[in-house]
Amino acid sequence: ENYPGIRIRVIDETSSVVFLAVARGEADFGLTYIGTQEPDIEFSPIRQDPFVLACQRDHPLAKKRSVTWSEIAQYDDYMVLAQGSGNRTLIDNALANTVRPPQWFCEVQHVPALVSLIEAGLGIGVVPELALPKDRHRSLVSIPLTEPTVARTLGLIRRKDRPLSVAAQRFADILLSPAAPHVKPPTTRKRGRATQTK
């Protein structure tokens, strides 16, 4: 609204592809949760996105105020994200020295697919909170996880050696502004966003 002459190209891809688009200079910056340790990448955090248990409203765990990983392990309808995905790596690392992960019966590649299977009543799963609808859902509930809690940090990544154009810098400033809650966060679960301005 403030800059009607600026066009924005959004690349909606997995976080690893978003990272590569920024690293190769194909995008001005990216919105993702990976790249925090890369020496050539500047990572500016925007918000925390905790992982939650998602299940149907009639599931035995649905009425709990919080759920531990040990409680999830008592059920045989647990579904997970595939090994090698960024979200699965975060979860596996968080659970490595604490508890035995619940046994899964179904493994999927992307968060939207996992949410769809849960919504269809095939089981329960752990997903980023932002992957679920913000308002009350007709059939799904999200329950905070404890022992341990697991979260990812969503942020803006850019190459340290590549100055942003004036338009891209203004857009980045808006996204990083503390007054930016009106900017809707990405709703593409495992996926990230890379942005190129023209």
Side-chain angles (χ1 to χ4, degrees), residues 7-194:
R7 294 182 299 152
I8 300 169
R9 177 173 174 247
V10 178
I11 305 166
D12 182 20
E13 273 292 353
T14 63
S15 290
S16 58
V17 173
V18 169
F19 174 81
L20 288 175
V22 173
R24 293 172 178 161
E26 297 165 1
D28 293 307
F29 59 81
L31 298 174
T32 185
Y33 57 92
I34 64 172
T36 58
Q37 306 299 321
E38 297 295 329
D40 299 329
I41 298 293
E42 179 182 311
F43 182 92
S44 303
I46 295 176
R47 67 172 293 173
Q48 286 286 306
D49 184 18
F51 286 85
V52 297
L53 176 72
C55 64
Q56 289 266 332
R57 292 188 176 278
D58 59 358
H59 193 277
L61 293 174
K63 302 256 188 264
K64 297 185 70 69
R65 295 176 71 91
S66 64
V67 174
T68 67
W69 291 88
S70 298
E71 288 175 305
I72 296 173
Q74 297 171 22
Y75 293 86
D76 60 4
D77 60 348
Y78 179 61
M79 301 181 290
V80 296
L81 295 165
Q83 284 190 336
S85 69
N87 286 309
R88 174 71 178 270
T89 300
L90 285 173
I91 292 170
D92 287 349
N93 289 343
L95 299 182
N97 299 315
T98 54
V99 297
R100 185 168 172 265
Q103 295 298 304
W104 55 268
F105 83 96
C106 180
E107 186 180 60
V108 299
Q109 191 66 37
H110 300 292
V111 175
L114 180 54
V115 172
S116 294
L117 292 175
I118 298 167
E119 190 173 17
L122 297 180
I124 62 177
V126 170
V127 299
E129 186 176 53
L130 288 176
L132 297 172
K134 200 171 173 184
D135 299 323
R136 180 180 168 88
H137 191 276
R138 57 184 169 77
S139 62
L140 294 183
V141 295
S142 65
I143 307 156
L145 288 165
T146 62
E147 299 178 27
T149 58
V150 185
R152 62 185 188 173
T153 302
L154 297 174
L156 186 145
I157 61 170
R158 55 174 286 191
R159 277 177 44 172
K160 290 180 179 177
D161 64 348
R162 185 179 183 217
L164 295 179
S165 66
V166 174
Q169 184 63 61
R170 181 63 188 128
F171 189 19
D173 291 343
I174 291 170
L175 291 172
L176 294 171
S177 168
H182 64 280
V183 177
K184 294 181 181 176
T187 58
T188 51
R189 308 15 167 204
K190 175 189 179 292
R191 302 161 77 86
R193 305 253 190 219

